[in-house]
Every structure is written in structure tokens, then in C-alpha cells.
Amino acid sequence: MPLLFQDFQPLVAIATTPASVKRLRPICQATNTVLWVPDSLQHLEAVQVYNGSLSAHLETLWLQHRSFVFGLATGAVVRLIAPLLQHKSTDPAVVVVDETGKFVISLCGGHQGGADRLTRLIALQINATPVLTGAANGAGLPGIDVLGIPWGWQRGEGDWTGVSAAIARQEPIQVIQEAGSTLWQSHLPEPHPFQFGFPEYTAEVKEDLPAAKARVWISPIQRKFSSESDLPKVQWHPRVLWIGIGCERGTSRQLIETAIQQVLQANHLAEGAIAGIATIDLKADEVGLVELCRDRHFPLRCFTAEQLRTVQVPTPSAVVEAEVGTPSVSEAAAVLGARSGGLGARDGETGNGNLETERSSSTPSPPPLAPNPSLRVSKQIVRAENQPGAVTVAIAQSEQEYIGRTGKLWLVGTGPGQLDQITPAAQMAIAQADVVIGYTLYVELVSSLLRPGQIIEALPITQERQRAKRAIALADWGLTVAVISSGDCGIYGMAGLVLEELRSLSWDGKTPTVQVFPGITALQAAASRVGAPLMHDFCAISLSDLLTPWEVIEQRLTAAAQADFVTALYNPRSQTRTEQIAIAQQIFLKHRDPDTPVALIRSAYRQDEHITLTTLAHFLEASIDMLTTVLIGNQSSRVYADWMITPRGYLGFSQTEI
């Protein structure tokens, strides 16, 4: 579970009464968080004691932590944090849990600090009501100041308060997106206030739109907004610019950084739009370059001379070719960096300062490219007085932004369907993910867990492999993806398909990271609705031959029937597959008494749940479909008072008990 709270670390909790300690302790245990208490509570277990006033202690913690959870009265917390608040772009998340544990309140840093998301997670964990007061939450919209965070976009200059206020008033907002993913646009609630692009005016068409009251730019361009304008504007910068660098040996970090800044400024490009640095592999150990990438959290992608030679560039150099074996370093490296620009962080490079150096000599050279497919700025040579060396800078723009995080695949079992049957960890995974992928019905069943700004992709029931491939592609990009399955995702669910697909892609077991969240299986849920049919040895067999040959399924049915296992049949009948359940019945009738109890449980724990208790000889007379789980008892199973019971001892019930 600590992985679910990774984005909020370092996190700290503070309580001042025994009751609040009791409320916060489960949260601290789940998040590996220190729980601070006054010395009057030092006798309690698993706490850290502070001495003196809480306000003085809080001041020492404030700059060292990203998130705070208080078990105090809201008014007291307001007075404690008021002197410490600076700006919403830098203030930490502050969350308050009331002493009864009924409410979790996002008090401060709701958007940019992440308090709203943290509040949702804690509320799911302790089964409380989240209190979110931001206007965007009420409208079902992501906050404009956090819109680009999942995609790794960088906030630029602008009147963020003015644009947020216009959205809160539900006024028209013009969005001009020149780069970065547009997935978010197709996952907005209807109606929404955003107008995309400029109104269309042609000889035939005159698009009549209400006048925009604010504007959002999503672009690598650095724009300067007039302070005298009545139209509030903001800008997000997707990380799509790959900086190709060539430099003399020993060139200082300062000169390299200055050269990049000068070229960006001359071309009106934003530093926040830098995705990473690309160069020749001979420069992988260039001290100034390595220091710059380390300090600025840039990936460093290095290519061989052979790879660089495949790229046609506008300004090749015979001198450079004679020196390093390729006529271009900066331009060709920028283009190749942009070609791979959307790949997520690799080998521990997570955007937090760890250096990534990609040596590509072991991979095939890319195919020849058309001239300048994405070159935005051709090479510029920069020197500085009184500084040795020279830097060559070129800039290419990738189609897909670099997110800068290691992607995560969360394989989530949602149980039989009702929210109270989903584990808290699974609920939190669904609520926290950037993307939720699943069969349409399963997505609908967890709709109350979804939050504004999430990408929700619901696919038909027959597209399991497509779901797995899509989830992996998004996680490779750097997103956190929750793939949901009903029941347990590792039992006839998506976990196996996703891991199979990863294996076929030579996954290294690390990137993207994978975590499996178990759920109550259909087998368990069905059994619980009819009594205790699984009290002795049992097995589960799917009758779907979509991924398993029918001959194999028949062998398993025969073996289970002969061995007298209590047997659960999954996927018993579909619209096009109707004979298999009848064949299964005939196989079991060869080895079991016709009066053997059989339970048919359709949509366990859902509103349309239907249960039938019958026998092996007659169960085909009832309605059976893909939402039905069939439970076939063993020779000892009995029905008593409308409950199906399998005794724990294999000898079964005594004659007096039957």
C-alpha cells in the first residue's frame, strides 16, 4: 500500500488526543508515516513524541514534508499553518481527519499540493466522507493548475487565479493546444466550458461561439502576456523539445546551460518544454553535460556515430565527420531523441534527478528519416568570452511528450461488483491511477471511485488482449494505469494477460512497475450467497474456449468429476457458445449422483443478483449466461434449509444429520 501514497511522500501525521491517535494510526501504518504526539501521550505505542509547543514543532517539519495529516479541529489547524503558508504553488498538502473518523477534509494545497487526491485516498481507506470544496470538483473537472501534471507538463507564466475563477463561474475558456497529448480533451464531462482552437471562419462556415473569458495555451512556445489585458491567460509547456548537444571536450556546465538558454530564448521556446538532452555516445561522460542533466533532472540519451549518420540534416560538417565519424551530432541527436521522445523513464531514471544514459549501440539503427522530420531549430554554435570550449545546440520537437516518470501497472480485482466488496487498497488504486482500463460493465460498476481528470478507457468484453497492450503502452509512456477485472484479477482476469504480454516484450521486471491488487473472486462471492459449498477440496474451470482448446477443458472436467472436487464453472454459456455447459453436465453425471446439489449464482452482490438451488440432473433447465457461476457439489454436499453445505470431513454427514 505505501506505493499508492508515493506521490505524497514525505508525509507526516500529527495527533493530540488518544482518540485522534486511534483514527490516524491505520493511516500511518498503511503509509509508513511517522505519527507525532505531545509528550502527554508518550505512553502510547508506535508514536513519535515532540516536546514544547506544536506550532514550534510544526515549523521544523514544514519545509521537510510534502503532505500533512492532522487529527485536530479544523480551526486549530488553520491557526497553526497560517504563519507558514507562502503560495499555493509551493505549499504542501494539508488534510484534516475529524476525531470521529467520519470526514476527511482537504484544507490546503488541494490542487497543486495534491491534498484533494490525498483526501480521497484516506477517505477510501478509513471508509469516511471526503470533503472537497474546490469549484473544479463540483463541476467534475480537473483543476486547470494540475491539468498537465499526469503528462509531465510544466506550468508556465500566467494568471492562474484568474483562469481558475473563470472556470468556477462556468464561463467559456479557449484552449489552444499546439503540443502534448490531447487524450484529456476526450475525457471531459459534458457539458464543459472549454472551446478548442479558434472559431472557424470560411466562405461557407462561420462558427458562432460565445466570447472566451479566459485562454489556456498548451505549447512549447514561451509567451509573454500583457498585464493590461482583461483576458486572463495561462500556459502549460509539454516536454517535447529534445536538445541536441555537441561540444568540445572539457566544456563547462555553465557554458552548456547558457548556450541552451540563449538558443531557446532566441527562438521563443520555453525551458519548461525541454524533454531531455541528446548527443553522441562519446560524450556520455562529458562532465559538464552529466552535471547539467543530473541537476536539471534531464534524461541524457546517447547515440552511436552509426546511428547519427542515418539522419539527414541541413548543416552537415565534414570536419565533424572526420573527428567523430558522423557529419552531424547536435542536429542528428536532437532528431533521434525526438523520435524516442515519448518513452518513459528507464533504468531508475524517474525525473527526480537520477541520471539516465541510453547507449544505443546494441540496438538496430533506426531507418533513414526524411530531412528534418521534427527539427525545430538547426544547429547554433555558442561560445563565451573567457570560457574555453564551444557548444553546438539544435532542437527537435517530438510528437509525444516525455513524462519523466517510471510508469506503473496496477492490476486490480474489483470483487463481485458492489463497492463495499472491493478492498480499500483496490479502491485507492482505482482512484489514484492516471488511467483506468477495463471491460465496459466493470468500469460502470466502479464509476463512483473515478475522479475528474482521469482517462477512462472502457473496451468490449472480447478485447482483453487489446486492453493489455493498451495498458502497457500507456505505462511505458510513464502513466499510472489501473487495469480492472471483476473478481480477482489473477483468476481468469487481466493480470495473466498483462504479464504474458510484458514477457513477450522482454520486460525487465522493473519498468514499468507492476503491482497486483487481489479481489474477492466470483467463486468466493457465489459460494457466500448459498452457504458453505467450498468447505472441502474444490477447483475452478472456465468453459470458455477462446484461449484454451476445448479438448483440454474436457480433460479437466473429467478429472475434476472423477476426483469428486466441488467444482466451480466460470463462463458457462455465451450467446454463441451454448453446447459446452451441456457437455459438462454429461461428464459430471457419469461420476456423480443426479441429485448432487448445484447452485447457479448470477451477478452475485449486484442489483440484478439471481440465485437458483437445483441438482446436477436439472440445472440446465434454469437460465445460465456469462454472468453466472455454476457450483457443483461433491458426493457429500447437501442442501439444508435453502443453504448448500459441504462438510469439512470428507466422509460427509452422518445419517442422522441428513
Coordinates of all heavy atoms in Angstrom, one line a residue, residues 361-431:
S361 N 24.0 1.4 -28.9 CA 24.8 0.7 -29.8 C 24.4 -0.7 -30.0 O 24.6 -1.4 -31.0 CB 26.3 0.7 -29.4 OG 26.5 0.2 -28.1
S362 N 23.7 -1.3 -29.0 CA 23.3 -2.7 -29.0 C 21.9 -2.8 -29.8 O 21.5 -3.9 -30.0 CB 23.1 -3.2 -27.6 OG 22.1 -2.5 -26.9
T363 N 21.3 -1.7 -30.1 CA 20.0 -1.8 -30.8 C 20.2 -1.5 -32.3 O 21.1 -0.8 -32.7 CB 19.0 -0.8 -30.2 OG1 19.6 0.5 -30.3 CG2 18.8 -1.1 -28.7
P364 N 19.3 -2.0 -33.1 CA 19.4 -1.7 -34.5 C 19.3 -0.3 -34.8 O 18.6 0.5 -34.1 CB 18.2 -2.5 -35.1 CG 17.8 -3.5 -34.1 CD 18.2 -2.9 -32.8
S365 N 20.0 0.2 -35.9 CA 19.9 1.6 -36.3 C 18.5 1.9 -36.8 O 17.9 1.0 -37.4 CB 21.0 1.9 -37.4 OG 22.3 1.6 -36.9
P366 N 18.0 3.1 -36.5 CA 16.7 3.4 -37.0 C 16.7 3.6 -38.5 O 17.8 3.8 -39.1 CB 16.4 4.8 -36.3 CG 17.8 5.3 -36.0 CD 18.6 4.2 -35.7
P367 N 15.6 3.4 -39.1 CA 15.6 3.5 -40.6 C 15.9 5.0 -41.0 O 15.7 5.9 -40.2 CB 14.1 3.1 -40.9 CG 13.3 3.4 -39.7 CD 14.3 3.1 -38.6
P368 N 16.4 5.2 -42.2 CA 16.6 6.6 -42.7 C 15.4 7.4 -42.6 O 14.3 7.0 -42.8 CB 17.0 6.3 -44.1 CG 17.5 4.9 -44.2 CD 16.7 4.2 -43.2
L369 N 15.5 8.6 -42.2 CA 14.4 9.5 -42.0 C 14.4 10.6 -43.1 O 15.4 10.9 -43.7 CB 14.5 10.3 -40.6 CG 14.7 9.4 -39.4 CD1 14.9 10.3 -38.2 CD2 13.5 8.5 -39.2
A370 N 13.2 11.1 -43.3 CA 13.1 12.3 -44.2 C 13.9 13.4 -43.6 O 14.0 13.5 -42.4 CB 11.6 12.6 -44.5
P371 N 14.3 14.4 -44.5 CA 15.1 15.5 -43.9 C 14.2 16.3 -42.9 O 13.1 16.6 -43.1 CB 15.3 16.4 -45.1 CG 15.3 15.4 -46.3 CD 14.3 14.4 -45.9
N372 N 14.9 16.5 -41.7 CA 14.3 17.3 -40.7 C 12.8 17.0 -40.3 O 12.0 17.8 -40.4 CB 14.4 18.8 -41.1 CG 15.7 19.1 -41.7 OD1 16.7 18.6 -41.2 ND2 15.7 19.9 -42.7
P373 N 12.5 15.7 -40.0 CA 11.1 15.4 -39.7 C 10.6 16.2 -38.5 O 9.4 16.4 -38.4 CB 11.1 13.9 -39.5 CG 12.5 13.6 -39.0 CD 13.4 14.6 -39.7
S374 N 11.5 16.5 -37.6 CA 11.0 17.2 -36.4 C 12.0 18.2 -35.9 O 11.9 18.7 -34.8 CB 10.7 16.2 -35.2 OG 11.9 15.4 -35.0
L375 N 12.9 18.6 -36.8 CA 13.9 19.6 -36.3 C 13.3 21.0 -36.3 O 12.8 21.5 -37.3 CB 15.1 19.6 -37.3 CG 16.4 20.2 -36.9 CD1 17.0 19.5 -35.6 CD2 17.4 20.2 -38.0
R376 N 13.3 21.6 -35.1 CA 12.7 22.9 -35.0 C 13.7 24.0 -35.1 O 13.4 25.1 -35.6 CB 12.0 23.0 -33.6 CG 11.2 24.2 -33.4 CD 10.0 24.0 -32.6 NE 9.2 25.3 -32.6 CZ 7.9 25.3 -32.2 NH1 7.3 24.2 -31.9 NH2 7.3 26.4 -32.3
V377 N 14.9 23.8 -34.6 CA 16.0 24.8 -34.7 C 17.3 24.1 -35.2 O 17.7 23.1 -34.5 CB 16.3 25.4 -33.3 CG1 17.4 26.5 -33.4 CG2 15.0 26.1 -32.7
S378 N 17.8 24.5 -36.3 CA 19.0 23.9 -36.8 C 20.2 24.4 -35.9 O 20.0 25.3 -35.0 CB 19.3 24.4 -38.2 OG 19.3 25.8 -38.3
K379 N 21.3 23.8 -36.1 CA 22.4 23.9 -35.1 C 22.9 25.4 -35.0 O 23.0 26.1 -36.0 CB 23.6 23.0 -35.4 CG 24.4 23.4 -36.6 CD 25.6 22.5 -36.8 CE 26.5 22.9 -38.0 NZ 27.6 22.0 -38.2
Q380 N 23.1 25.8 -33.8 CA 23.7 27.1 -33.4 C 24.9 26.9 -32.6 O 25.0 26.1 -31.6 CB 22.7 27.9 -32.6 CG 21.3 28.0 -33.2 CD 21.2 28.8 -34.4 OE1 21.7 30.0 -34.4 NE2 20.6 28.3 -35.5
I381 N 26.0 27.6 -33.0 CA 27.3 27.4 -32.3 C 27.4 28.6 -31.3 O 27.3 29.8 -31.7 CB 28.5 27.4 -33.2 CG1 28.3 26.2 -34.2 CG2 29.8 27.3 -32.5 CD1 29.4 26.2 -35.3
V382 N 27.7 28.3 -30.0 CA 27.7 29.3 -29.0 C 29.1 29.2 -28.3 O 29.5 28.1 -27.9 CB 26.6 29.1 -27.9 CG1 26.7 30.1 -26.8 CG2 25.2 29.1 -28.6
R383 N 29.7 30.4 -28.2 CA 31.0 30.5 -27.4 C 30.8 31.6 -26.4 O 29.9 32.5 -26.6 CB 32.2 30.8 -28.4 CG 32.5 29.6 -29.3 CD 33.8 30.0 -30.1 NE 34.2 28.8 -30.9 CZ 33.8 28.5 -32.1 NH1 32.8 29.3 -32.7 NH2 34.3 27.5 -32.7
A384 N 31.7 31.7 -25.5 CA 31.6 32.8 -24.5 C 33.0 33.3 -24.2 O 34.0 32.5 -24.2 CB 31.0 32.3 -23.2
E385 N 33.1 34.6 -24.0 CA 34.4 35.2 -23.7 C 35.0 34.6 -22.4 O 34.2 34.4 -21.4 CB 34.3 36.7 -23.6 CG 34.0 37.3 -25.0 CD 34.1 38.8 -24.9 OE1 34.4 39.4 -23.8 OE2 33.7 39.5 -25.8
N386 N 36.2 34.4 -22.3 CA 36.9 34.0 -21.1 C 36.5 32.6 -20.6 O 36.7 32.2 -19.5 CB 36.7 35.0 -19.9 CG 37.1 36.4 -20.3 OD1 38.2 36.5 -21.0 ND2 36.3 37.4 -19.9
Q387 N 35.8 31.8 -21.5 CA 35.5 30.4 -21.2 C 36.0 29.5 -22.3 O 35.7 29.8 -23.5 CB 34.0 30.3 -21.1 CG 33.4 30.8 -19.8 CD 32.1 30.2 -19.4 OE1 31.9 29.0 -19.4 NE2 31.1 31.1 -19.0
P388 N 36.7 28.5 -22.0 CA 37.1 27.6 -23.0 C 36.0 26.7 -23.6 O 35.0 26.5 -23.0 CB 38.1 26.7 -22.3 CG 37.6 26.7 -20.9 CD 37.1 28.1 -20.6
G389 N 36.2 26.3 -24.8 CA 35.2 25.4 -25.4 C 34.2 26.1 -26.2 O 34.1 27.3 -26.3
A390 N 33.4 25.3 -26.9 CA 32.2 25.7 -27.7 C 31.1 24.7 -27.6 O 31.4 23.5 -27.4 CB 32.7 26.0 -29.1
V391 N 29.9 25.2 -27.8 CA 28.7 24.3 -27.7 C 27.9 24.5 -29.0 O 27.6 25.6 -29.4 CB 27.8 24.6 -26.5 CG1 26.7 23.7 -26.4 CG2 28.7 24.6 -25.2
T392 N 27.5 23.3 -29.6 CA 26.6 23.4 -30.7 C 25.2 22.9 -30.2 O 25.1 21.8 -29.6 CB 27.1 22.4 -31.8 OG1 28.4 22.9 -32.2 CG2 26.2 22.5 -33.0
V393 N 24.2 23.7 -30.5 CA 22.8 23.3 -30.0 C 21.9 23.2 -31.2 O 21.9 24.1 -32.0 CB 22.3 24.4 -29.0 CG1 20.9 24.1 -28.5 CG2 23.3 24.6 -27.8
A394 N 21.1 22.2 -31.2 CA 20.0 22.1 -32.1 C 18.8 21.5 -31.4 O 18.9 20.9 -30.3 CB 20.3 21.1 -33.3
I395 N 17.6 21.8 -31.9 CA 16.4 21.5 -31.1 C 15.4 20.8 -32.1 O 15.1 21.3 -33.1 CB 15.7 22.7 -30.5 CG1 16.7 23.5 -29.6 CG2 14.4 22.3 -29.7 CD1 16.1 24.7 -29.0
A396 N 14.9 19.6 -31.6 CA 13.9 18.9 -32.4 C 12.6 18.7 -31.4 O 12.8 18.7 -30.2 CB 14.4 17.6 -32.8
Q397 N 11.5 18.7 -32.1 CA 10.2 18.5 -31.3 C 9.6 17.1 -31.6 O 9.4 16.7 -32.7 CB 9.2 19.6 -31.7 CG 7.9 19.5 -30.9 CD 7.0 20.7 -31.1 OE1 7.5 21.8 -31.3 NE2 5.7 20.5 -31.0
S398 N 9.4 16.4 -30.5 CA 8.7 15.1 -30.6 C 7.2 15.2 -30.6 O 6.7 16.2 -30.2 CB 9.1 14.2 -29.4 OG 8.7 14.8 -28.2
E399 N 6.6 14.2 -31.2 CA 5.1 14.2 -31.3 C 4.5 14.0 -29.9 O 3.5 14.4 -29.6 CB 4.7 13.2 -32.3 CG 5.0 13.5 -33.7 CD 4.3 12.6 -34.7 OE1 3.5 11.7 -34.3 OE2 4.7 12.6 -35.9
Q400 N 5.2 13.2 -29.1 CA 4.7 12.8 -27.8 C 5.6 13.3 -26.7 O 6.8 13.2 -26.8 CB 4.6 11.2 -27.7 CG 3.8 10.7 -26.6 CD 3.7 9.2 -26.7 OE1 4.7 8.5 -26.6 NE2 2.5 8.7 -26.8
E401 N 5.0 13.9 -25.7 CA 5.8 14.4 -24.6 C 6.5 13.4 -23.8 O 6.1 12.2 -23.7 CB 4.9 15.3 -23.7 CG 3.8 14.6 -23.0 CD 2.5 14.7 -23.8 OE1 2.5 14.1 -24.9 OE2 1.5 15.3 -23.3
Y402 N 7.6 13.8 -23.2 CA 8.3 13.0 -22.2 C 7.7 13.2 -20.8 O 7.8 14.4 -20.3 CB 9.8 13.3 -22.3 CG 10.7 12.5 -21.3 CD1 11.0 11.2 -21.5 CD2 11.1 13.1 -20.1 CE1 11.8 10.5 -20.6 CE2 11.9 12.4 -19.2 CZ 12.3 11.1 -19.5 OH 13.0 10.4 -18.6
I403 N 7.2 12.2 -20.2 CA 6.5 12.4 -18.9 C 7.6 12.5 -17.8 O 7.4 13.2 -16.8 CB 5.5 11.3 -18.7 CG1 4.4 11.5 -19.7 CG2 5.0 11.3 -17.2 CD1 3.3 10.4 -19.6
G404 N 8.6 11.7 -17.9 CA 9.7 11.8 -16.9 C 9.4 10.9 -15.6 O 10.1 11.2 -14.6
R405 N 8.5 10.0 -15.7 CA 8.3 9.1 -14.5 C 8.3 7.7 -15.0 O 8.1 7.4 -16.2 CB 6.9 9.4 -13.9 CG 6.7 10.7 -13.3 CD 5.4 10.7 -12.5 NE 4.3 10.2 -13.2 CZ 3.4 11.0 -13.9 NH1 3.7 12.3 -14.0 NH2 2.4 10.4 -14.6
T406 N 8.7 6.8 -14.1 CA 8.5 5.3 -14.4 C 7.1 5.0 -14.3 O 6.4 5.2 -13.3 CB 9.3 4.5 -13.4 OG1 10.7 4.9 -13.5 CG2 9.2 3.0 -13.6
G407 N 6.5 4.4 -15.4 CA 5.1 4.0 -15.4 C 4.8 2.9 -14.4 O 5.7 2.1 -14.0
K408 N 3.5 2.8 -14.1 CA 3.1 1.8 -13.1 C 1.9 1.1 -13.7 O 1.0 1.7 -14.3 CB 2.7 2.4 -11.8 CG 3.8 3.2 -11.1 CD 3.2 3.7 -9.8 CE 4.3 4.5 -9.0 NZ 4.6 5.8 -9.7
L409 N 1.9 -0.2 -13.6 CA 0.7 -1.0 -14.0 C 0.1 -1.6 -12.7 O 0.7 -2.4 -12.0 CB 1.1 -2.2 -14.9 CG 1.3 -1.8 -16.4 CD1 2.0 -3.0 -17.1 CD2 -0.1 -1.5 -17.0
W410 N -1.1 -1.2 -12.4 CA -1.8 -1.7 -11.2 C -2.9 -2.6 -11.7 O -3.8 -2.2 -12.4 CB -2.4 -0.6 -10.4 CG -1.3 0.2 -9.7 CD1 0.0 -0.1 -9.6 CD2 -1.5 1.5 -9.1 NE1 0.7 0.9 -8.9 CE2 -0.2 1.9 -8.6 CE3 -2.5 2.4 -9.0 CZ2 0.0 3.1 -8.0 CZ3 -2.3 3.6 -8.4 CH2 -1.1 4.0 -7.8
L411 N -2.8 -3.9 -11.4 CA -3.7 -4.9 -11.9 C -4.7 -5.2 -10.7 O -4.3 -5.8 -9.7 CB -3.0 -6.2 -12.3 CG -1.8 -6.0 -13.2 CD1 -1.1 -7.2 -13.5 CD2 -2.2 -5.3 -14.5
V412 N -5.9 -4.7 -10.9 CA -6.9 -4.6 -9.8 C -8.1 -5.5 -9.9 O -8.8 -5.5 -10.9 CB -7.4 -3.1 -9.7 CG1 -8.3 -2.9 -8.5 CG2 -6.2 -2.1 -9.7
G413 N -8.3 -6.3 -8.9 CA -9.5 -7.1 -8.8 C -10.6 -6.3 -8.0 O -10.4 -5.8 -6.9
T414 N -11.8 -6.2 -8.6 CA -12.8 -5.4 -8.1 C -13.9 -6.2 -7.3 O -14.9 -5.6 -6.9 CB -13.5 -4.5 -9.1 OG1 -14.1 -5.4 -10.1 CG2 -12.5 -3.6 -9.8
G415 N -13.7 -7.5 -7.2 CA -14.7 -8.3 -6.5 C -15.9 -8.5 -7.3 O -16.0 -8.3 -8.5
P416 N -17.0 -8.8 -6.6 CA -18.3 -9.2 -7.3 C -19.0 -7.9 -7.9 O -19.8 -8.1 -8.8 CB -19.1 -9.8 -6.2 CG -18.5 -9.4 -5.0 CD -17.1 -9.2 -5.2
G417 N -18.7 -6.8 -7.4 CA -19.3 -5.6 -8.1 C -19.7 -4.5 -7.1 O -19.4 -3.3 -7.5
Q418 N -20.2 -4.7 -6.0 CA -20.5 -3.7 -5.1 C -19.3 -3.0 -4.5 O -18.3 -3.7 -4.2 CB -21.4 -4.2 -3.9 CG -22.9 -4.4 -4.4 CD -23.8 -4.6 -3.2 OE1 -23.3 -5.0 -2.1 NE2 -25.1 -4.5 -3.4
L419 N -19.3 -1.7 -4.2 CA -18.2 -1.0 -3.7 C -17.7 -1.6 -2.3 O -16.5 -1.7 -2.1 CB -18.4 0.5 -3.6 CG -18.6 1.2 -4.9 CD1 -18.8 2.7 -4.6 CD2 -17.4 1.0 -5.8
D420 N -18.7 -2.0 -1.5 CA -18.3 -2.5 -0.2 C -17.6 -3.9 -0.3 O -17.2 -4.4 0.8 CB -19.4 -2.5 0.8 CG -20.6 -3.3 0.4 OD1 -20.5 -4.0 -0.7 OD2 -21.6 -3.3 1.0
Q421 N -17.6 -4.5 -1.4 CA -16.9 -5.7 -1.6 C -15.5 -5.6 -2.3 O -14.8 -6.5 -2.5 CB -17.8 -6.6 -2.5 CG -19.1 -6.9 -2.0 CD -19.1 -7.8 -0.7 OE1 -18.2 -8.6 -0.6 NE2 -20.1 -7.7 0.1
I422 N -15.1 -4.3 -2.5 CA -13.8 -4.0 -3.1 C -12.9 -3.7 -1.9 O -13.2 -2.9 -1.1 CB -13.9 -2.9 -4.1 CG1 -14.9 -3.2 -5.2 CG2 -12.5 -2.7 -4.7 CD1 -15.1 -2.0 -6.2
T423 N -11.7 -4.2 -1.9 CA -10.8 -4.0 -0.8 C -10.4 -2.5 -0.8 O -10.4 -1.8 -1.9 CB -9.5 -4.8 -0.9 OG1 -8.7 -4.4 -2.1 CG2 -9.8 -6.3 -1.0
P424 N -10.1 -1.9 0.3 CA -9.7 -0.5 0.4 C -8.5 -0.2 -0.5 O -8.4 0.8 -1.2 CB -9.4 -0.2 1.8 CG -10.2 -1.2 2.6 CD -10.3 -2.4 1.7
A425 N -7.5 -1.1 -0.5 CA -6.3 -0.9 -1.4 C -6.7 -0.8 -2.9 O -6.2 0.0 -3.6 CB -5.3 -2.0 -1.1
A426 N -7.6 -1.7 -3.3 CA -8.0 -1.7 -4.7 C -8.8 -0.4 -5.0 O -8.7 0.2 -6.1 CB -8.9 -2.9 -5.0
Q427 N -9.7 0.0 -4.1 CA -10.4 1.3 -4.3 C -9.4 2.4 -4.5 O -9.6 3.3 -5.3 CB -11.3 1.5 -3.1 CG -12.5 0.6 -3.0 CD -13.5 1.0 -2.0 OE1 -13.9 2.1 -1.9 NE2 -14.0 0.0 -1.2
M428 N -8.4 2.5 -3.6 CA -7.4 3.6 -3.7 C -6.6 3.5 -5.0 O -6.3 4.5 -5.6 CB -6.5 3.5 -2.5 CG -7.2 4.0 -1.2 SD -6.0 4.1 0.2 CE -5.7 2.4 0.6
A429 N -6.3 2.3 -5.5 CA -5.6 2.2 -6.7 C -6.4 2.8 -7.9 O -5.9 3.5 -8.7 CB -5.2 0.7 -7.0
I430 N -7.7 2.4 -7.9 CA -8.5 2.9 -9.0 C -8.6 4.5 -8.9 O -8.6 5.2 -9.9 CB -9.9 2.3 -8.9 CG1 -9.8 0.8 -9.2 CG2 -10.9 3.0 -9.8 CD1 -11.1 0.0 -8.8
A431 N -8.8 5.0 -7.7 CA -9.0 6.4 -7.5 C -7.7 7.2 -7.8 O -7.7 8.3 -8.3 CB -9.4 6.7 -6.1

